[in-house]
Amino acid sequence: QVQLVESGGGLVQPGGSLNLSCTASGRTFSTYAIGWFRQAPGKEREFVAAINWPGGKTAYVDSVKGRFTISRDNAKDTVYLQMNELKPEDTAAYYCNRGQIRAGKLVGDFDSWGQGTQVTVSS
């Protein structure tokens, strides 16, 4: 299992932006698609966005389309999630993981999760 580390979260006002990073530690992403998930208190983990290997095909949950952009730098084993026009509803802990894009979302074993990075959108 590759060790994934999320970073870039923080506190931002509605309408603001954040850029999250997902990096591989000790291993490379190989040829996996990488996706972002989020989980708010009391709610189930929700798929947000995914990007295939080597990139070019993306998938987003409807609620973030037009606001979030997922990208990857394969040489750096890093996947990014640029989040614009943030809303309070985006507040959650954000996680990344490896899998495959199926039916507009990321699917996989997801047997291991990192610590995530907290995104809080509040005025």
Side-chain angles (χ1 to χ4, degrees), residues 3-118:
Q3 183 72 38
L4 302 180
V5 180
E6 302 92 345
S7 63
L11 175 64
V12 65
Q13 293 185 347
S17 298
L18 287 171
N19 191 14
L20 308 184
S21 297
C22 172
T23 62
S25 178
R27 300 287 194 281
T28 66
F29 286 148
S30 186
T31 59
Y32 287 93
I34 304 295
W36 287 93
F37 300 78
R38 64 188 181 187
Q39 187 169 25
K43 298 185 178 180
E44 297 292 327
R45 201 186 306 269
E46 174 192 30
F47 166 76
V48 177
I51 186 167
N52 72 330
W53 175 272
K57 179 183 178 181
T58 59
Y60 300 91
V61 66
D62 287 344
S63 61
V64 309
K65 288 181 178 178
R67 300 189 298 120
F68 292 8
T69 302
I70 188 170
S71 62
R72 67 192 301 165
D73 185 338
N74 297 325
K76 297 181 178 179
D77 285 333
T78 301
V79 173
Y80 305 96
L81 185 66
Q82 178 64 48
M83 306 186 297
N84 300 322
E85 304 172 44
L86 282 163
K87 305 176 180 180
E89 306 90 84
D90 297 317
T91 296
Y94 283 71
Y95 305 84
C96 61
N97 219 316
R98 306 181 301 169
Q100 295 180 327
I101 297 177
R102 296 284 187 272
K105 63 180 181 180
L106 191 76
V107 298
D109 292 335
F110 304 150
D111 57 334
S112 181
W113 296 90
Q115 295 186 13
T117 185
Q118 179 67 39

